[in-house]
């Protein structure tokens, strides 16, 4: 089975992006470098919620998640209470999983600690970006995602297993996992290279 598909618009894409909303997400977001503490924290949370589910489920609910979690503002989420957990468990617009909800609140508190220690989430997470390329669509974990998962767990983070962290790396541009024949791959490669140069990662 080919790992690319040519759409009605004649554009070659990774096969998982054959339909909306995945198509637009694939073309404009997936694999492009992600920076900023709020954006990275949001992605960690959403990848955690995606665990065991399809990304389509999360993508179609993403705006609901943003509203429910105060735009994933770290200090705000870190101060969520049991009343907020109850509110979120009653919100049909998100994934109502107590463990994942409580993990997101916990992770906001751990993110504050990490920011205090490292100055920012961005250099910390990007320090785990691999230097070498791999065959696209060939991995679900990597040595780097295993190391990142291990360190985050040691710091008290939850729902940050190595597979979830590899999905983060794919989505946030730490690796370029677009298929070699995907039309978006060169743009992602250029964006990653520029981000590394400008940010010093």
């Amino acid at each position: 089975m080919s790992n690319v598909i040519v759409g009605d618009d004649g554009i070659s894409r990774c096969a998982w992006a054959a339909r909306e909303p995945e198509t637009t997400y694939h073309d404009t977001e997936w694999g492009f470098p992600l920076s900023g503490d709020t954006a990275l924290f949001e992605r960690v949370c959403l990848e955690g919620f995606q665990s065991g589910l399809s990304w389509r489920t999360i993508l179609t609910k993403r705006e609901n998640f943003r509203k429910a979690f105060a735009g994933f503002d770290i200090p705000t989420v870190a101060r969520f209470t049991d009343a907020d957990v109850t509110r979120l468990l009653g919100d049909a617009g998100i994934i109502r999983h107590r463990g994942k909800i409580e993990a997101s609140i916990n992770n906001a508190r751990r993110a504050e600690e990490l920011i205090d220690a490292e100055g920012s989430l961005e250099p910390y997470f990007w320090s785990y970006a691999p230097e070498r390329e791999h065959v696209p669509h060939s991995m679900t974990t990597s040595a780097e995602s295993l190391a990142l998962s291990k360190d985050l767990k040691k710091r008290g983070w939850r729902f940050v297993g190595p597979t979830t962290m590899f999905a983060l790396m794919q989505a946030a541009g730490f690796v370029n996992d677009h298929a070699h024949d995907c039309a978006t791959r060169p743009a992602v490669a250029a964006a990653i290279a520029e981000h590394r140069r400008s940010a010093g990662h």
Side-chain angles (χ1 to χ4, degrees):
M1 181 178 175
S2 174
N3 57 6
V4 296
I5 189 168
V6 178
D8 293 337
D9 54 8
I11 295 175
S12 177
R13 296 181 175 90
C14 297
W16 60 264
R19 58 177 178 155
E20 293 292 0
E22 288 92 340
T23 300
T24 297
Y25 171 71
H26 167 276
D27 291 358
T28 62
E29 292 186 63
W30 194 71
F32 287 94
L34 198 62
S35 61
D37 289 352
T38 301
L40 284 166
F41 175 67
E42 175 184 325
R43 177 60 62 176
V44 171
C45 290
L46 292 181
E47 294 294 352
F49 273 102
Q50 188 269 338
S51 179
L53 304 170
S54 72
W55 180 244
R56 165 174 280 261
T57 300
I58 303 303
L59 197 56
T60 57
K61 294 176 179 287
R62 183 164 58 165
E63 291 306 318
N64 296 333
F65 272 109
R66 287 172 172 167
K67 182 178 178 181
F69 281 91
F72 290 98
D73 179 70
I74 294 169
T76 301
V77 178
R79 281 151 190 80
F80 276 9
T81 64
D82 289 345
D84 290 293
V85 174
T86 300
R87 169 180 62 83
L88 292 164
L89 285 170
D91 188 340
I94 67 169
I95 305 300
R96 293 180 287 182
H97 184 292
R98 179 181 289 275
K100 294 177 180 180
I101 290 169
E102 291 178 344
S104 295
I105 297 169
N106 167 78
N107 290 350
R109 295 167 185 165
R110 304 294 78 79
E112 287 190 318
E113 294 169 356
L114 198 153
I115 291 167
D116 286 343
E118 305 289 340
S120 172
L121 296 184
E122 184 174 345
Y124 168 80
F125 276 94
W126 273 92
S127 72
Y128 288 91
E131 294 298 327
R132 65 195 181 284
E133 290 193 353
H134 65 275
V135 177
H137 303 180
S138 67
M139 304 164 62
T140 57
T141 64
S142 66
E144 293 83 6
S145 76
L146 285 162
L148 174 58
S149 172
K150 182 177 180 180
D151 192 67
L152 286 172
K153 288 178 180 179
K154 188 170 138 183
R155 293 171 183 265
W157 293 59
R158 301 179 196 159
F159 278 91
V160 289
T163 301
T164 299
M165 289 301 94
F166 189 72
L168 168 74
M169 291 177 168
Q170 292 171 301
F174 297 7
V175 298
N176 187 353
D177 217 33
H178 284 272
H180 286 302
D181 294 332
C182 172
T184 306
R185 182 178 176 86
V188 166
I192 291 172
E194 175 57 31
H195 180 80
R196 286 178 180 269
R197 280 194 299 269
S198 62
H201 297 317

